[in-house]
Amino acid sequence: MKIHFDTDYMEGAHPTVMQRLLDTNLEQTPGYGTDNYCTEAKAKIRKACGNDNLDVHFLVGGTQTNSTVIDALLSHHEGVLAAETAHINVHESGAIESCGHKVLTLPSHAGKLAPKEVEAYIKDFYADETYEHMVAPGMVYISYPTEYGTLYSKEELQTLHAVCKEADIPLYIDGARLGYGLSSDAADFTLEELPTLCDIFYIGGTKVGAMFGECVVAQPGLLKHFFPLIKQHGALMAKGRLLGVQFGTLFTDGLYLKIARHAVEMAMILKQGFIAKGFTPFIDSPTNQQFFTLPNDVMDRLAEKATFEVWGSRGATHTNVRFVTSWAAKQEDVEVLIAAI
Amino acid sequence: MKIHFDTDYMEGAHPTVMQRLLDTNLEQTPGYGTDNYCTEAKAKIRKACGNDNLDVHFLVGGTQTNSTVIDALLSHHEGVLAAETAHINVHESGAIESCGHKVLTLPSHAGKLAPKEVEAYIKDFYADETYEHMVAPGMVYISYPTEYGTLYSKEELQTLHAVCKEADIPLYIDGARLGYGLSSDAADFTLEELPTLCDIFYIGGTKVGAMFGECVVAQPGLLKHFFPLIKQHGALMAKGRLLGVQFGTLFTDGLYLKIARHAVEMAMILKQGFIAKGFTPFIDSPTNQQFFTLPNDVMDRLAEKATFEVWGSRGATHTNVRFVTSWAAKQEDVEVLIAAI
Amino acid sequence: MKIHFDTDYMEGAHPTVMQRLLDTNLEQTPGYGTDNYCTEAKAKIRKACGNDNLDVHFLVGGTQTNSTVIDALLSHHEGVLAAETAHINVHESGAIESCGHKVLTLPSHAGKLAPKEVEAYIKDFYADETYEHMVAPGMVYISYPTEYGTLYSKEELQTLHAVCKEADIPLYIDGARLGYGLSSDAADFTLEELPTLCDIFYIGGTKVGAMFGECVVAQPGLLKHFFPLIKQHGALMAKGRLLGVQFGTLFTDGLYLKIARHAVEMAMILKQGFIAKGFTPFIDSPTNQQFFTLPNDVMDRLAEKATFEVWGSRGATHTNVRFVTSWAAKQEDVEVLIAAI
Amino acid sequence: MKIHFDTDYMEGAHPTVMQRLLDTNLEQTPGYGTDNYCTEAKAKIRKACGNDNLDVHFLVGGTQTNSTVIDALLSHHEGVLAAETAHINVHESGAIESCGHKVLTLPSHAGKLAPKEVEAYIKDFYADETYEHMVAPGMVYISYPTEYGTLYSKEELQTLHAVCKEADIPLYIDGARLGYGLSSDAADFTLEELPTLCDIFYIGGTKVGAMFGECVVAQPGLLKHFFPLIKQHGALMAKGRLLGVQFGTLFTDGLYLKIARHAVEMAMILKQGFIAKGFTPFIDSPTNQQFFTLPNDVMDRLAEKATFEVWGSRGATHTNVRFVTSWAAKQEDVEVLIAAI
């Protein structure tokens, strides 16, 4: 049987989360997140985020979270600034546009936006005499970690956030893999500091220990009439308590970051293993996604033992590939992979 | 502690479903429904529906299923015919319109559309010289059971389906509570016959034994490019196998209808209990939702023991209320309720 | 050759308007309404409306004006309250829904909304515990005159406006035929008073003397970022001055109401003529649209001389028909029609 | 008084067109393009386009034409391929996205798409295993002339059309300035050949002699249910005959191309004048738009005599500017401009 490094959503839920779902399974609670499990989980998340006034909402999946949040934040004449490589620009089947909004793209620097380029875009936009015929930049979207596993430094976020404040538009962070970023040695800020570095973000559950679920955390007052919008976007879970139970468990005793840290450690072993065998990553990622260019014969040999993702298309002699570890990754599997190089 | 008859999504998953989720929890499978659990579950559902060629898709929730299916079936200039009381017209926060489609309403007859009125609407529409300035009827939406717990007879469905065929538009059945309809003594057709009575329907999981999940079943070729549309609507589950595992379990050994039947039996005991105490239902429902008009003092006394839904608003002397039983309902709770009248 | 009473947009522009278009035809002006003709026309319209601070915009046609204004005023979770017979609900091919908004219908009373019913709808909406699952009433749409030629009294508008203010939602008046309402003997308020009776309205040009064009008049600050929205809706005219020239002419020396008055006078002669011959209008309209139920043989005889609109479909013995006069209607034609009865 | 080279929609209608509007002004015709003027104009246009079976529709403006056509051609999961500089991507305030569709951008080569790059994009798209999570290329949009005044050769169009046919997606040409392209010496095909080089295009009226109006010409059967879609997009003119009268006049005795040719000739004089004075165009345009980089002092001196458009923003020492001639341009004005350099 092969070992798997395709992605971080191949397993179900972390056993502790699963156990809580099992323990509470036959309880009866009111729907749509009005239950006590949700209330308690929200309180725990506010605490972990260092601000008891934060606005917290649970949704089911990442694409629907992005499209609901972005739809909530933008006016009709506005679009969302994002890197060309942004998930919303590439891999969401046009979900943002299907809600009527344009994705305004800027160059990707290993998955990241350059604050200077955001600033210049906004300045140039309003300097253009015909700007009212164009889509206004209405918010900035980034991901942390990015789609390439890279991380913004605290200073980069502060600079980008200052650019957004100056333009009076919100900064939104897609945290589908937030745990794998915050628990990396390369992270120079904590979850508690995150709400001071942006206006709104989501804590990814699906990829970090939950069976499913994403948790939106926003500055108070930013999201208006968000409940009906969640419903309209088909993102409102009838049995809302399932999300409360899961996030409540993940935010008890630091489980969320603890299990994320494990994935990152496994990724670092994997990375060092490849480097030791003489391969250089084409992106230097400090998180749970690792990117290497492999000679095709090496890749093909590995593919006999393991599954992983071809990044782009197969090259003539060398091919880019991605290896991903999850909270459930086993060190022995990583070792088998390295041994197989 | 109170007993609960508010709705049928207050518990988690049926224990057998939960056990399967637990058993498979740490397995690794590819995402987005490309796994074997989904493949097997689809085969079982095709078999239960009597046609191996049916097109089967798993989505997460009811509102998103309705909006994705309706968006897939309608052209830009078309709307969906539905009863005024239809869930899509009343309780989905405008999800259908947010995708650009008008809900064209017809009178509700205890939650049901009258095939004659649908036929007349379509005929009158095309008889109007200005019809190209109006929204064309592009499909028909009904629910089975309806939002009032009522059921269409086989003959009514055949007539309505014939009207749709004549107009060359699809008939879509919202089966959020499908099991509670098919397992009622009043149902005069089976799941196996259902695909011959309409063009597309969904088998509700959330309200009938699953933790969450809805299963769309369509005539082959009807849904084009449905996968990217599911993604675009935020209705694509990353860990798609969770849906396969659940529906596979529900469609093994007839579990789905067996547990639905239990809920209906409990509802019949409840109904007879109220009738025996001298109350008449204001809607004669043969399924798991029961509707009574109660004197306010009786209602208030019951409310000390049980929770249930006020249907509309409280009246001066009498009030309409709804009691719902689920697959997990306990006979002793029903008896406590009746004793409390 | 037949005479025509089909509708009020069968001719081109009023000769005075046409002459101004001719006089200015080869002038060069900047585009998109930034020219002096627009500036001057807006000033004249503000003056005619009794408030120099009103926000004035020119668009090309009625449906696009409705969809642009409604899109500008509603949030994602809101819909527009309107009579079942409202143009936006019936005859705009789903333009409102195509922008994502639901039309929330109330009964039509000869084309009019009853303020009490609007008030009750809003009250009931927020009294419903599940209201966040429903589309919120976000504005009220009425037409003046209505699609049935009827008029709201000043008191009715004041009451309706008070209901809207209480609910903190704007009242919007579709004035496609505004001139034919204000110049009727039945109108009990003036254009100068109109801005105090609602929040936003449009002055119809297409049907009242212009070649084309509609003029939106709004309370200052109500419409935000309206220019890019006009562009986005395809409603921004490159040669914007064409609208300025036309409206400037219509609002010089009271031309707009003067020519509208003529149409209403012709309609009154027509109405009295039919009544004198023993027919009773099925709607008592004081404006330029007249509605009669005619025996089919009378209708068929008239149809040899004149064109007019069958209202609905032909009946077995009697049929409803509509006759419309425009600013260009000739009294001799009206007399020929009456003589032919 | 200054002379104007800002753009080609600064005047009203060509005098012959204006005269026809005047001549027919008080005639009564039925609405929405069902009149004889429209019928006759469509016949003339089909003839000019060399195919009596072509599908012809009249709309009012360019942005609304683009958004209506693109909305008609795309399915929900598809986007439109266009150059980064395409009008739909830059200057339509998000009209395409507001209808739910993504603009998929490719590099601009002086405003043009490279057929090879279109081919590669489509091939790569379907080679990507995750393509169902991405927006499919559903059509190709180009402009002729482009936003930079440049022209595709017949061979380039044939190659691009072949790429589209291979991918089974339509090729759409935005012909806002079509006349100025076809009447250029650099054009190596005729209007009669155009329908064989693409699937659908529009003949721009607003910028080429009409007061307003655009004429969509499509292969038969390509546009389905287009009438209600025009209405829904607010692009249906009540007095449709205004468009018929104008296009009928423009396509009588070759007026359309004759007046376009005049503009191009004026542009060539202007271009040669600048070159003779030692300036090199930064884009070599053979049509009515001309692009030069000028030292700021030269530009400022010109600006005292003439208006024109700064292309982008003012540079430190040199600035890009655009000069546009229209069908109404006067040779003496061009000479005054050149003399002023």
Side-chain angles (χ1 to χ4, degrees), chain B residues 93-116:
Chain B
S93 291
I96 306 308
E97 291 83 3
S98 82
C99 301
H101 307 297
K102 191 178 185 71
V103 180
L104 305 163
T105 55
L106 283 172
S108 157
H109 303 278
K112 292 158 63 179
L113 284 176
K116 286 273 176 221

Side-chain angles (χ1 to χ4, degrees), chain C residues 129-310:
Chain C
E129 284 182 12
T130 66
Y131 79 86
E132 287 204 301
H133 298 250
M134 296 156 70
V135 177
M139 63 181 288
V140 172
Y141 164 100
I142 60 172
S143 43
Y144 182 92
T146 70
E147 295 76 7
Y148 285 88
T150 52
L151 296 178
Y152 288 83
S153 71
K154 184 173 173 178
E155 195 187 339
E156 285 173 328
L157 282 186
Q158 284 171 328
T159 308
L160 185 55
H161 198 200
V163 168
C164 290
K165 276 182 190 158
E166 175 68 27
D168 198 21
I169 61 177
L171 173 59
Y172 167 53
I173 299 180
D174 178 336
R177 293 187 168 101
L178 186 65
Y180 300 132
L182 291 175
S183 66
S184 162
D185 285 341
D188 62 354
F189 60 86
T190 64
L191 177 56
E192 215 169 342
E193 290 171 281
L194 188 53
T196 69
L197 299 170
C198 66
D199 298 284
I200 174 168
F201 61 95
Y202 83 83
I203 303 170
T206 300
K207 292 174 178 167
V208 192
M211 188 181 266
F212 58 86
E214 321 296 330
C215 174
V216 172
V217 180
Q219 295 304 328
L222 181 64
L223 296 170
K224 301 196 194 310
H225 302 290
F226 198 55
F227 185 91
L229 208 57
I230 295 175
K231 176 87 179 187
Q232 185 179 92
H233 279 255
L236 186 66
M237 179 150 260
K239 301 180 185 176
R241 70 120 182 275
L242 296 174
L243 297 163
V245 167
Q246 294 184 84
F247 275 98
T249 307
L250 288 169
F251 281 84
T252 298
D253 300 334
L255 184 64
Y256 183 74
L257 290 179
K258 204 179 324 177
I259 65 177
R261 174 74 188 172
H262 169 75
V264 176
E265 284 172 356
M266 292 303 102
M268 291 306 107
I269 293 173
L270 188 155
K271 183 183 191 175
Q272 293 313 321
F274 274 85
I275 290 174
K277 299 258 178 166
F279 299 103
T280 312
F282 67 91
I283 301 262
D284 186 16
S285 158
T287 64
N288 75 318
Q289 301 181 81
Q290 294 299 321
F291 301 85
F292 284 88
T293 308
L294 300 180
N296 287 349
D297 63 329
V298 173
M299 179 177 74
D300 292 343
R301 200 161 59 239
L302 278 181
E304 288 167 22
K305 296 258 187 213
T307 62
F308 44 84
E309 205 170 320
V310 170

Side-chain angles (χ1 to χ4, degrees), chain D residues 256-285:
Chain D
Y256 183 74
L257 290 179
K258 203 180 321 177
I259 64 176
R261 173 73 187 171
H262 169 75
V264 176
E265 285 171 357
M266 293 302 103
M268 291 306 106
I269 294 174
L270 188 155
K271 183 184 190 175
Q272 293 313 321
F274 273 84
I275 289 173
K277 300 257 179 167
F279 299 103
T280 313
F282 67 90
I283 302 261
D284 186 17
S285 158

Side-chain angles (χ1 to χ4, degrees), chain A residues 76-77 84 88-94 97-103 105 127-128 130 132-135 309 313, chain D residues 76-77 84 88-94 97-103 127-128 130 132-135 309 312-313:
Chain A
H76 301 285
H77 68 298
E84 280 175 344
I88 56 166
N89 190 46
V90 180
H91 272 110
E92 301 194 352
S93 290
E97 291 83 4
S98 81
C99 301
H101 306 297
K102 190 176 186 72
V103 181
T105 54
D128 190 319
T130 66
E132 288 204 301
H133 299 250
M134 295 155 71
V135 176
E309 204 171 319
S313 53
Chain D
H76 301 284
H77 68 298
E84 279 174 343
I88 55 166
N89 191 45
V90 180
H91 273 110
E92 300 193 353
S93 292
E97 291 83 3
S98 83
C99 300
H101 307 297
K102 191 176 186 71
V103 181
D128 190 319
T130 66
E132 287 204 301
H133 298 251
M134 296 155 70
V135 176
E309 205 171 321
S313 53

Side-chain angles (χ1 to χ4, degrees), chain C residues 33-55:
Chain C
T34 57
D35 63 282
N36 288 335
Y37 290 108
C38 285
T39 306
E40 286 165 22
K42 288 178 182 183
K44 285 179 179 175
I45 282 167
R46 285 190 192 99
K47 192 147 188 285
C49 293
N51 179 345
D52 287 346
N53 296 314
L54 291 167
D55 191 17

Side-chain angles (χ1 to χ4, degrees), chain B residues 76-77 84 88-94 97-103 105 127-128 130 132-135 309 313, chain C residues 76-77 84 88-94 97-103 128 130 132-135 309 312-313:
Chain B
H76 300 284
H77 69 297
E84 280 175 343
I88 56 166
N89 191 45
V90 180
H91 273 110
E92 300 193 353
S93 291
E97 291 83 3
S98 82
C99 301
H101 307 297
K102 191 178 185 71
V103 180
T105 55
D128 190 319
T130 65
E132 287 204 301
H133 298 251
M134 295 155 71
V135 177
E309 205 170 320
S313 52
Chain C
H76 300 285
H77 69 296
E84 280 175 345
I88 56 166
N89 190 46
V90 180
H91 273 110
E92 300 192 353
S93 291
E97 290 84 4
S98 82
C99 300
H101 306 297
K102 190 175 185 74
V103 180
D128 191 318
T130 66
E132 287 204 301
H133 298 250
M134 296 156 70
V135 177
E309 205 170 320
S313 53

